Coordinates of all heavy atoms in Angstrom, one line a residue:
M1 N 97.6 99.7 63.0 CA 98.1 98.8 64.1 C 99.4 98.2 63.6 O 99.5 97.7 62.5 CB 97.0 97.7 64.4 CG 97.4 96.8 65.5 SD 96.0 95.8 65.9 CE 96.8 94.3 66.2
A2 N 100.4 98.2 64.5 CA 101.7 97.7 64.2 C 101.6 96.1 64.3 O 101.0 95.5 65.1 CB 102.7 98.2 65.2
T3 N 102.4 95.5 63.4 CA 102.5 94.1 63.3 C 103.9 93.6 63.5 O 104.8 94.1 62.8 CB 102.0 93.6 61.9 OG1 100.6 94.0 61.7 CG2 102.0 92.0 61.9
D4 N 104.1 92.7 64.4 CA 105.4 92.2 64.7 C 105.6 90.9 63.8 O 105.1 89.9 64.0 CB 105.6 91.8 66.1 CG 107.0 91.3 66.4 OD1 107.9 91.4 65.6 OD2 107.2 90.8 67.6
Y5 N 106.3 91.1 62.7 CA 106.5 90.0 61.7 C 107.5 88.9 62.2 O 107.5 87.9 61.7 CB 107.0 90.6 60.4 CG 105.9 91.4 59.7 CD1 106.0 92.8 59.7 CD2 104.8 90.8 59.1 CE1 105.0 93.5 59.1 CE2 103.8 91.5 58.5 CZ 103.9 92.9 58.5 OH 102.9 93.7 58.0
D6 N 108.2 89.2 63.3 CA 109.2 88.2 63.8 C 108.6 87.3 64.9 O 109.1 86.3 65.2 CB 110.4 89.0 64.4 CG 111.2 89.7 63.4 OD1 111.2 89.2 62.2 OD2 111.9 90.7 63.7
A7 N 107.4 87.7 65.3 CA 106.7 86.9 66.4 C 106.2 85.6 65.8 O 105.8 85.6 64.6 CB 105.6 87.7 67.0
P8 N 106.3 84.5 66.6 CA 105.8 83.2 66.0 C 104.3 83.3 65.9 O 103.6 83.9 66.7 CB 106.1 82.2 67.1 CG 106.5 83.0 68.3 CD 106.9 84.4 67.9
R9 N 103.8 82.7 64.8 CA 102.3 82.8 64.5 C 101.7 81.5 64.9 O 102.2 80.4 64.8 CB 102.1 83.1 63.0 CG 102.6 84.4 62.6 CD 102.5 84.6 61.1 NE 102.9 85.9 60.7 CZ 104.2 86.3 60.5 NH1 105.1 85.4 60.7 NH2 104.5 87.5 60.2
K10 N 100.4 81.6 65.4 CA 99.7 80.5 65.8 C 98.7 80.1 64.7 O 98.1 81.0 64.1 CB 98.9 80.8 67.1 CG 99.7 80.9 68.3 CD 98.9 81.0 69.6 CE 99.8 81.0 70.8 NZ 99.0 80.8 72.0
T11 N 98.6 78.8 64.5 CA 97.6 78.4 63.5 C 96.2 78.3 64.1 O 96.1 78.4 65.4 CB 98.0 77.0 63.0 OG1 98.0 76.1 64.0 CG2 99.4 77.0 62.3
E12 N 95.2 78.0 63.3 CA 93.9 77.8 63.9 C 93.8 76.7 64.9 O 93.1 76.7 65.9 CB 92.9 77.6 62.7 CG 92.6 78.8 61.9 CD 92.0 79.9 62.6 OE1 91.1 79.7 63.5 OE2 92.3 81.1 62.4
E13 N 94.6 75.6 64.6 CA 94.6 74.5 65.5 C 95.2 74.9 66.9 O 94.7 74.5 67.9 CB 95.5 73.4 64.9 CG 95.5 72.1 65.6 CD 96.3 71.0 64.9 OE1 96.2 70.9 63.7 OE2 97.1 70.4 65.7
D14 N 96.3 75.7 66.9 CA 96.9 76.1 68.1 C 95.9 77.0 68.9 O 95.8 76.9 70.1 CB 98.1 76.9 67.9 CG 99.2 76.1 67.3 OD1 99.2 74.8 67.5 OD2 100.2 76.6 66.6
L15 N 95.2 77.9 68.2 CA 94.2 78.7 68.9 C 93.1 78.0 69.6 O 92.6 78.3 70.6 CB 93.7 79.8 67.9 CG 94.7 80.8 67.4 CD1 94.1 81.7 66.3 CD2 95.2 81.7 68.6
S16 N 92.6 76.9 68.9 CA 91.5 76.2 69.5 C 92.0 75.3 70.7 O 91.2 75.0 71.5 CB 90.9 75.3 68.4 OG 91.9 74.3 67.9
E17 N 93.3 75.0 70.7 CA 93.8 74.2 71.8 C 93.9 75.0 73.1 O 93.8 74.4 74.2 CB 95.1 73.6 71.5 CG 95.1 72.5 70.4 CD 96.5 72.0 70.1 OE1 97.5 72.5 70.6 OE2 96.6 71.2 69.2
D18 N 94.0 76.3 73.0 CA 94.2 77.1 74.2 C 92.8 77.5 74.7 O 92.4 78.6 74.7 CB 95.0 78.4 73.8 CG 96.4 78.1 73.6 OD1 96.9 77.0 74.0 OD2 97.1 78.9 72.9
S19 N 92.1 76.5 75.3 CA 90.8 76.8 75.9 C 91.0 77.5 77.2 O 92.1 77.5 77.8 CB 90.0 75.5 76.1 OG 90.7 74.7 77.1
L20 N 90.0 78.1 77.7 CA 90.0 78.8 79.0 C 90.4 77.9 80.1 O 91.2 78.2 81.0 CB 88.7 79.5 79.2 CG 88.6 80.3 80.5 CD1 89.7 81.4 80.4 CD2 87.2 80.9 80.6
E21 N 89.9 76.6 80.1 CA 90.2 75.7 81.2 C 91.7 75.3 81.2 O 92.3 75.2 82.2 CB 89.3 74.5 81.1 CG 87.8 74.7 81.4 CD 87.1 75.4 80.2 OE1 87.5 75.3 79.1 OE2 86.1 76.0 80.5
E22 N 92.2 75.1 80.0 CA 93.6 74.7 79.9 C 94.5 75.9 80.4 O 95.5 75.6 81.1 CB 94.0 74.4 78.4 CG 93.5 73.1 77.9 CD 93.9 72.8 76.5 OE1 95.1 73.2 76.1 OE2 93.2 72.2 75.8
L23 N 94.2 77.1 80.0 CA 95.0 78.2 80.5 C 94.9 78.4 82.0 O 95.9 78.7 82.6 CB 94.5 79.5 79.8 CG 94.7 79.5 78.3 CD1 94.1 80.8 77.7 CD2 96.2 79.5 77.9
K24 N 93.7 78.2 82.6 CA 93.6 78.3 84.0 C 94.4 77.2 84.7 O 95.1 77.4 85.7 CB 92.2 78.1 84.5 CG 91.4 79.4 84.2 CD 89.9 79.2 84.7 CE 89.1 80.4 84.4 NZ 87.7 80.2 84.8
A25 N 94.4 76.0 84.1 CA 95.2 74.8 84.7 C 96.7 75.1 84.6 O 97.4 74.9 85.6 CB 94.8 73.6 84.0
R26 N 97.1 75.7 83.5 CA 98.6 76.0 83.4 C 99.0 77.0 84.4 O 100.1 77.0 84.9 CB 98.9 76.5 81.9 CG 98.9 75.4 80.9 CD 99.4 76.0 79.6 NE 98.7 75.4 78.5 CZ 98.6 75.8 77.3 NH1 99.2 77.0 77.0 NH2 98.0 75.2 76.3
R27 N 98.1 78.0 84.6 CA 98.5 79.1 85.5 C 98.6 78.6 86.9 O 99.5 78.9 87.7 CB 97.4 80.2 85.5 CG 97.8 81.4 86.4 CD 96.8 82.5 86.2 NE 95.5 82.1 86.6 CZ 94.4 82.8 86.4 NH1 94.5 84.0 85.9 NH2 93.2 82.4 86.8
S28 N 97.7 77.7 87.3 CA 97.8 77.1 88.7 C 99.0 76.2 88.9 O 99.6 76.2 89.9 CB 96.5 76.4 89.0 OG 96.3 75.3 88.2
D29 N 99.3 75.5 87.8 CA 100.5 74.6 87.9 C 101.8 75.4 88.0 O 102.7 75.1 88.8 CB 100.6 73.8 86.6 CG 99.5 72.7 86.5 OD1 98.9 72.4 87.6 OD2 99.3 72.2 85.4
K30 N 101.9 76.5 87.3 CA 103.1 77.4 87.4 C 103.2 78.0 88.8 O 104.3 78.1 89.3 CB 103.1 78.4 86.3 CG 103.3 77.9 84.9 CD 103.3 79.0 83.9 CE 103.5 78.4 82.5 NZ 103.3 79.5 81.5
S31 N 102.1 78.5 89.3 CA 102.2 79.2 90.6 C 102.5 78.2 91.8 O 103.0 78.7 92.8 CB 101.0 80.0 90.8 OG 99.8 79.1 90.9
S32 N 102.2 77.0 91.6 CA 102.4 76.0 92.7 C 103.9 75.8 92.9 O 104.3 75.4 94.0 CB 101.7 74.7 92.4 OG 102.2 74.1 91.3
G33 N 104.7 75.9 91.9 CA 106.1 75.7 92.0 C 106.9 76.9 92.5 O 108.1 76.9 92.7
V34 N 106.3 78.1 92.7 CA 106.9 79.3 93.0 C 107.3 79.2 94.5 O 106.5 78.9 95.4 CB 106.1 80.5 92.8 CG1 106.7 81.8 93.2 CG2 105.8 80.6 91.3
V35 N 108.6 79.6 94.8 CA 109.0 79.6 96.2 C 109.3 81.0 96.6 O 110.0 81.8 95.9 CB 110.4 78.8 96.3 CG1 110.9 78.9 97.7 CG2 110.1 77.4 95.9
D36 N 108.7 81.4 97.7 CA 109.0 82.8 98.2 C 110.4 82.8 98.8 O 110.6 82.1 99.8 CB 107.9 83.2 99.2 CG 106.6 83.4 98.6 OD1 106.5 83.7 97.4 OD2 105.5 83.3 99.3
E37 N 111.2 83.7 98.3 CA 112.6 83.8 98.8 C 112.8 85.2 99.3 O 112.4 86.2 98.7 CB 113.6 83.5 97.7 CG 115.0 83.5 98.2 CD 116.0 83.1 97.1 OE1 115.6 82.4 96.2 OE2 117.1 83.4 97.2
D38 N 113.4 85.3 100.5 CA 113.6 86.6 101.1 C 114.9 87.2 100.3 O 116.0 86.6 100.4 CB 113.9 86.5 102.6 CG 114.1 87.8 103.2 OD1 113.7 88.9 102.6 OD2 114.6 87.9 104.4
E39 N 114.7 88.3 99.6 CA 115.7 88.9 98.9 C 116.9 89.4 99.7 O 118.1 89.3 99.4 CB 115.2 90.1 98.1 CG 114.2 89.7 97.0 CD 113.6 90.9 96.4 OE1 114.0 92.1 96.7 OE2 112.7 90.7 95.5
T40 N 116.6 89.9 100.9 CA 117.6 90.4 101.8 C 118.5 89.2 102.3 O 119.7 89.3 102.3 CB 117.0 91.1 103.0 OG1 116.1 92.0 102.6 CG2 118.1 91.7 103.9
E41 N 117.9 88.1 102.6 CA 118.6 86.9 103.1 C 119.5 86.4 102.0 O 120.6 86.0 102.2 CB 117.6 85.9 103.5 CG 118.3 84.7 104.2 CD 117.2 83.7 104.7 OE1 116.4 84.1 105.5 OE2 117.3 82.5 104.4
A42 N 119.0 86.4 100.7 CA 119.8 85.9 99.6 C 120.9 86.8 99.3 O 122.0 86.3 99.0 CB 118.9 85.7 98.4
A43 N 120.8 88.1 99.5 CA 121.8 89.0 99.2 C 122.9 89.0 100.2 O 124.1 89.2 99.9 CB 121.3 90.5 99.1
E44 N 122.6 88.6 101.5 CA 123.6 88.5 102.5 C 124.6 87.4 102.3 O 125.8 87.5 102.6 CB 122.9 88.3 103.9 CG 122.2 89.6 104.4 CD 121.5 89.3 105.7 OE1 121.4 88.2 106.2 OE2 120.9 90.3 106.2
G45 N 124.2 86.3 101.7 CA 125.0 85.2 101.4 C 125.9 85.4 100.1 O 126.7 84.6 99.8
F46 N 125.6 86.4 99.4 CA 126.3 86.6 98.1 C 127.4 87.7 98.3 O 127.1 88.8 98.7 CB 125.3 87.1 97.0 CG 125.9 87.3 95.7 CD1 126.3 86.2 95.0 CD2 126.2 88.5 95.2 CE1 126.9 86.3 93.7 CE2 126.7 88.7 93.9 CZ 127.1 87.6 93.2
E47 N 128.6 87.4 98.1 CA 129.7 88.4 98.3 C 130.6 88.3 97.0 O 131.0 87.3 96.6 CB 130.5 88.0 99.5 CG 131.5 89.1 99.8 CD 132.2 88.8 101.2 OE1 131.5 88.3 102.1 OE2 133.4 89.2 101.3
L48 N 130.9 89.5 96.5 CA 131.8 89.6 95.4 C 133.2 89.4 95.8 O 133.6 89.9 96.9 CB 131.6 91.0 94.7 CG 130.3 91.2 94.1 CD1 130.2 92.7 93.6 CD2 130.1 90.3 92.9
P49 N 134.1 88.9 95.0 CA 135.5 88.7 95.4 C 136.1 90.1 95.4 O 136.0 90.9 94.6 CB 136.1 87.9 94.2 CG 135.1 88.0 93.1 CD 133.8 88.3 93.7
G50 N 136.9 90.3 96.5 CA 137.6 91.6 96.7 C 136.7 92.7 97.1 O 137.0 93.9 97.0
A51 N 135.5 92.4 97.6 CA 134.5 93.4 98.0 C 134.7 93.9 99.4 O 134.0 94.8 99.8 CB 133.1 92.9 97.9
D52 N 135.6 93.4 100.2 CA 135.8 93.8 101.6 C 136.6 95.1 101.5 O 137.8 95.1 101.3 CB 136.6 92.7 102.4 CG 136.8 93.1 103.8 OD1 136.0 94.0 104.3 OD2 137.6 92.6 104.5
L53 N 136.0 96.2 101.8 CA 136.6 97.5 101.8 C 136.8 98.1 103.2 O 136.9 99.3 103.4 CB 135.8 98.5 100.9 CG 135.6 98.1 99.5 CD1 134.7 99.0 98.8 CD2 137.0 98.0 98.8
S54 N 136.7 97.2 104.2 CA 136.7 97.7 105.6 C 138.1 98.3 106.0 O 138.1 99.2 106.8 CB 136.4 96.6 106.6 OG 137.3 95.5 106.4
G55 N 139.1 97.9 105.3 CA 140.5 98.5 105.7 C 140.8 99.7 104.8 O 141.8 100.3 105.0
E56 N 139.9 100.1 103.9 CA 140.2 101.2 103.0 C 139.8 102.5 103.7 O 138.8 102.6 104.4 CB 139.4 101.1 101.7 CG 139.8 99.9 100.9 CD 141.3 100.0 100.3 OE1 141.7 101.1 99.9 OE2 142.0 98.9 100.3
E57 N 140.6 103.6 103.4 CA 140.2 104.9 103.8 C 139.9 105.8 102.6 O 140.6 105.7 101.6 CB 141.4 105.5 104.6 CG 141.6 104.9 106.0 CD 142.6 105.6 106.8 OE1 142.8 106.8 106.6 OE2 143.2 105.0 107.7
L58 N 139.0 106.6 102.8 CA 138.6 107.5 101.7 C 139.1 108.9 102.0 O 138.7 109.5 103.1 CB 137.1 107.5 101.5 CG 136.5 108.4 100.4 CD1 137.0 107.9 99.1 CD2 135.0 108.4 100.4
S59 N 139.8 109.5 101.2 CA 140.3 110.9 101.4 C 139.8 111.8 100.3 O 140.1 111.5 99.1 CB 141.8 111.0 101.5 OG 142.4 110.5 100.3
V60 N 139.0 112.8 100.6 CA 138.4 113.7 99.7 C 138.7 115.1 100.1 O 138.5 115.5 101.2 CB 136.9 113.5 99.6 CG1 136.2 114.4 98.6 CG2 136.5 112.0 99.2
R61 N 139.1 115.9 99.1 CA 139.4 117.3 99.4 C 138.1 118.1 99.2 O 137.5 118.1 98.0 CB 140.5 117.8 98.5 CG 141.0 119.1 99.0 CD 142.2 119.5 98.2 NE 141.7 120.5 97.2 CZ 142.4 121.0 96.2 NH1 143.6 120.6 96.0 NH2 141.9 121.9 95.5
V62 N 137.6 118.7 100.2 CA 136.3 119.5 100.1 C 136.7 121.0 99.9 O 137.4 121.5 100.7 CB 135.5 119.3 101.3 CG1 134.2 120.1 101.2 CG2 135.1 117.8 101.6
L63 N 136.1 121.5 98.8 CA 136.3 122.9 98.5 C 135.1 123.7 99.0 O 134.0 123.3 98.9 CB 136.5 123.1 97.0 CG 137.7 122.5 96.4 CD1 137.6 122.7 94.8 CD2 139.0 123.0 96.9
P64 N 135.3 124.9 99.5 CA 134.2 125.8 99.9 C 133.5 126.3 98.6 O 134.0 126.2 97.5 CB 134.8 127.0 100.6 CG 136.3 127.0 100.2 CD 136.6 125.6 99.8
R65 N 132.2 126.7 98.8 CA 131.5 127.2 97.6 C 132.2 128.4 97.0 O 132.6 129.3 97.7 CB 130.1 127.6 98.1 CG 129.1 127.9 96.9 CD 127.7 128.2 97.4 NE 127.7 129.4 98.1 CZ 127.0 129.7 99.1 NH1 126.1 128.9 99.6 NH2 127.0 130.9 99.7
Q66 N 132.3 128.3 95.7 CA 132.9 129.4 94.9 C 132.0 130.6 94.7 O 130.8 130.5 94.9 CB 133.5 128.8 93.6 CG 134.4 127.6 93.7 CD 135.6 127.9 94.5 OE1 136.3 128.9 94.2 NE2 135.9 127.1 95.5
A67 N 132.5 131.7 94.3 CA 131.7 132.9 94.0 C 130.7 132.7 92.9 O 129.7 133.4 92.9 CB 132.7 134.0 93.7
D68 N 131.0 131.8 92.0 CA 130.1 131.6 90.8 C 129.2 130.4 91.1 O 128.6 129.9 90.1 CB 130.9 131.5 89.5 CG 131.8 130.3 89.5 OD1 132.1 129.7 90.6 OD2 132.2 129.8 88.5
E69 N 129.0 130.0 92.3 CA 128.1 128.9 92.6 C 127.1 129.3 93.6 O 127.2 130.3 94.3 CB 129.0 127.7 93.2 CG 130.0 127.1 92.3 CD 130.9 126.1 92.9 OE1 131.1 126.1 94.1 OE2 131.3 125.2 92.1
F70 N 126.0 128.5 93.7 CA 124.9 128.7 94.7 C 124.4 127.4 95.2 O 124.6 126.3 94.6 CB 123.8 129.5 94.0 CG 123.0 128.7 93.1 CD1 121.8 128.1 93.5 CD2 123.4 128.5 91.7 CE1 121.0 127.3 92.6 CE2 122.6 127.7 90.9 CZ 121.5 127.2 91.3
T71 N 123.8 127.4 96.4 CA 123.2 126.2 96.9 C 121.7 126.2 96.7 O 121.0 127.2 97.1 CB 123.5 126.1 98.5 OG1 124.9 126.2 98.6 CG2 123.0 124.9 99.1
C72 N 121.2 125.2 96.1 CA 119.8 125.1 95.8 C 119.0 124.9 97.1 O 119.4 124.1 97.9 CB 119.5 124.0 94.8 SG 117.7 123.7 94.5
S73 N 118.0 125.7 97.3 CA 117.2 125.6 98.6 C 116.2 124.5 98.5 O 115.5 124.2 99.5 CB 116.5 126.9 98.9 OG 115.6 127.3 97.8
S74 N 116.1 123.7 97.4 CA 115.3 122.6 97.3 C 116.0 121.3 97.5 O 115.7 120.5 98.3 CB 114.5 122.6 96.0 OG 113.7 121.5 95.9
C75 N 117.1 121.1 96.7 CA 117.8 119.8 96.8 C 119.1 120.0 97.6 O 119.8 119.0 97.9 CB 118.2 119.3 95.4 SG 119.3 120.4 94.5
F76 N 119.5 121.2 98.0 CA 120.7 121.5 98.8 C 122.0 121.1 98.2 O 123.0 120.8 98.9 CB 120.5 120.9 100.2 CG 119.3 121.4 100.9 CD1 118.2 120.5 101.0 CD2 119.2 122.6 101.4 CE1 117.1 120.9 101.7 CE2 118.1 123.1 102.1 CZ 117.0 122.2 102.2
L77 N 122.0 121.0 96.8 CA 123.3 120.8 96.1 C 123.9 122.1 95.6 O 123.2 123.0 95.4 CB 123.0 119.9 94.9 CG 122.5 118.4 95.2 CD1 122.2 117.7 93.9 CD2 123.6 117.7 96.0
V78 N 125.2 122.1 95.5 CA 125.9 123.3 95.0 C 125.9 123.2 93.5 O 126.4 122.2 93.0 CB 127.3 123.4 95.6 CG1 128.0 124.6 95.1 CG2 127.2 123.5 97.2
H79 N 125.4 124.2 92.8 CA 125.4 124.3 91.4 C 126.1 125.5 90.9 O 126.3 126.5 91.6 CB 124.0 124.3 90.9 CG 123.2 123.1 91.2 ND1 123.3 122.0 90.5 CD2 122.2 122.9 92.1 CE1 122.4 121.1 90.9 NE2 121.8 121.6 92.0
H80 N 126.5 125.5 89.6 CA 127.1 126.7 89.0 C 125.9 127.7 88.7 O 124.8 127.3 88.6 CB 127.8 126.3 87.7 CG 128.5 127.4 87.1 ND1 128.0 128.2 86.1 CD2 129.8 127.9 87.3 CE1 128.9 129.2 85.8 NE2 130.0 129.0 86.5
R81 N 126.3 129.0 88.7 CA 125.2 130.0 88.5 C 124.4 129.8 87.2 O 123.3 130.2 87.1 CB 125.9 131.4 88.4 CG 126.4 131.9 89.7 CD 125.2 132.6 90.4 NE 125.7 133.0 91.7 CZ 124.9 133.3 92.7 NH1 123.6 133.2 92.6 NH2 125.3 133.6 93.9
S82 N 125.0 129.1 86.2 CA 124.3 128.9 84.9 C 123.1 128.0 85.1 O 122.2 128.0 84.3 CB 125.3 128.3 83.9 OG 125.7 127.1 84.3
Q83 N 123.0 127.3 86.2 CA 121.9 126.4 86.5 C 120.8 127.0 87.4 O 119.9 126.3 87.8 CB 122.4 125.1 87.1 CG 123.3 124.3 86.2 CD 123.7 123.0 86.8 OE1 123.8 122.8 88.0 NE2 124.1 122.0 86.0
L84 N 121.0 128.3 87.7 CA 120.0 129.0 88.5 C 118.8 129.2 87.7 O 118.8 129.9 86.6 CB 120.6 130.3 89.0 CG 119.7 131.2 89.9 CD1 119.3 130.4 91.2 CD2 120.3 132.5 90.2
A85 N 117.6 128.7 88.1 CA 116.4 128.9 87.4 C 115.5 130.0 88.0 O 114.9 130.8 87.3 CB 115.6 127.6 87.3
V86 N 115.3 129.9 89.3 CA 114.4 130.8 90.0 C 115.0 131.4 91.3 O 115.7 130.6 92.0 CB 113.1 130.1 90.4 CG1 112.1 131.0 91.1 CG2 112.4 129.5 89.2
E87 N 114.8 132.6 91.6 CA 115.3 133.2 92.8 C 114.1 134.0 93.4 O 113.7 135.1 92.8 CB 116.5 134.1 92.6 CG 117.1 134.6 93.9 CD 118.5 135.2 93.7 OE1 118.9 135.3 92.6 OE2 119.0 135.7 94.7
K88 N 113.5 133.5 94.5 CA 112.4 134.2 95.1 C 112.7 134.3 96.6 O 113.0 133.4 97.2 CB 111.1 133.4 94.9 CG 110.5 133.3 93.5 CD 109.2 132.5 93.5 CE 108.7 132.5 92.1 NZ 107.4 131.7 92.1
D89 N 112.5 135.5 97.1 CA 112.6 135.8 98.5 C 114.0 135.3 99.0 O 114.0 134.8 100.1 CB 111.5 135.2 99.3 CG 110.1 135.6 98.9 OD1 110.0 136.8 98.5 OD2 109.1 134.8 98.9
G90 N 115.0 135.4 98.3 CA 116.3 135.0 98.7 C 116.6 133.5 98.6 O 117.7 133.0 98.9
K91 N 115.6 132.8 98.1 CA 115.7 131.3 97.9 C 116.1 131.1 96.5 O 115.4 131.5 95.6 CB 114.5 130.6 98.3 CG 114.1 130.7 99.8 CD 112.9 129.8 100.1 CE 112.6 129.9 101.6 NZ 111.5 129.1 101.9
Q92 N 117.1 130.3 96.2 CA 117.6 130.0 94.9 C 117.3 128.6 94.6 O 117.5 127.7 95.3 CB 119.1 130.3 94.8 CG 119.5 131.7 95.1 CD 121.0 131.9 95.2 OE1 121.7 131.0 95.7 NE2 121.4 133.1 94.8
I93 N 116.7 128.4 93.4 CA 116.2 127.0 92.9 C 117.0 126.7 91.6 O 117.0 127.5 90.7 CB 114.7 127.0 92.7 CG1 113.9 127.5 93.9 CG2 114.3 125.6 92.3 CD1 113.9 126.5 95.1
C94 N 117.5 125.5 91.6 CA 118.3 125.1 90.4 C 117.3 124.7 89.3 O 116.1 124.5 89.5 CB 119.2 123.9 90.7 SG 118.4 122.4 91.1
S95 N 117.8 124.6 88.1 CA 116.9 124.2 86.9 C 116.3 122.8 87.0 O 115.2 122.6 86.5 CB 117.7 124.4 85.6 OG 118.8 123.6 85.6
E96 N 117.0 121.9 87.7 CA 116.5 120.5 87.8 C 115.3 120.5 88.8 O 114.3 119.8 88.5 CB 117.6 119.6 88.3 CG 118.7 119.4 87.3 CD 119.8 118.5 87.9 OE1 119.7 118.0 89.0 OE2 120.9 118.4 87.2
C97 N 115.4 121.3 89.8 CA 114.2 121.3 90.8 C 113.1 122.1 90.3 O 111.9 121.9 90.6 CB 114.7 121.8 92.1 SG 115.9 120.7 93.0
A98 N 113.4 123.1 89.5 CA 112.3 124.0 88.9 C 111.5 123.3 87.9 O 110.3 123.7 87.6 CB 112.9 125.3 88.4
A99 N 112.1 122.2 87.2 CA 111.4 121.5 86.1 C 110.2 120.7 86.6 O 110.0 120.3 87.7 CB 112.3 120.7 85.4

C-alpha cells in the first residue's frame, strides 16, 4: 500500500474528535450555504475584453480532396492514405475510427 508522507497526520486525539455526529453536523452546515447558480446565466454576463468578433470576416481557402487522400465513411474527415485502416465494400475507415 502506498503511503503519502507529505499528507498531514492525525493524532489519536484528532481521530477521536471526529465522531460520526460531528461529521454529519459539519456536512449539513456546509450544504446549507450552497447557492444554486445557473451556469448559463453567469456566463452571459462575463465577457472577455476584445471578444467582439462580429465585424470580423473569415477567409479560408478550401482545397479539393487530393489523389493521396480519402474520406472516412465513419467520421467523414479527409485523411491521408497512410491513415487508412480498413476498406470493406468500398467504405474506407481511418485508423482513429477503427481503434
Side-chain angles (χ1 to χ4, degrees):
M1 183 170 141
T3 303
D4 184 8
Y5 292 103
D6 294 331
R9 292 176 180 80
K10 290 189 174 189
T11 62
E12 290 295 324
E13 184 179 315
D14 293 338
L15 292 174
S16 63
E17 289 177 1
D18 290 340
S19 68
L20 184 58
E21 290 77 22
E22 286 182 35
L23 294 174
K24 286 181 180 178
R26 285 188 213 162
R27 183 175 61 190
S28 64
D29 290 342
K30 288 180 183 176
S31 63
S32 64
V34 175
V35 177
D36 291 335
E37 184 177 338
D38 186 16
E39 295 174 3
T40 309
E41 188 176 303
E44 287 175 357
F46 184 73
E47 187 172 329
L48 294 173
D52 183 19
L53 300 175
S54 60
E56 296 294 321
E57 288 188 26
L58 182 63
S59 60
V60 178
R61 195 175 101 187
V62 179
L63 297 174
R65 188 176 69 213
Q66 304 297 309
D68 61 344
E69 296 176 333
F70 72 98
T71 304
C72 176
S73 59
S74 180
C75 65
F76 303 104
L77 294 175
V78 177
H79 296 281
H80 188 264
R81 287 274 177 203
S82 63
Q83 294 181 338
L84 180 63
V86 179
E87 186 170 359
K88 290 183 181 177
D89 302 326
K91 294 183 179 182
Q92 299 170 328
I93 307 288
C94 69
S95 56
E96 292 176 9
C97 292

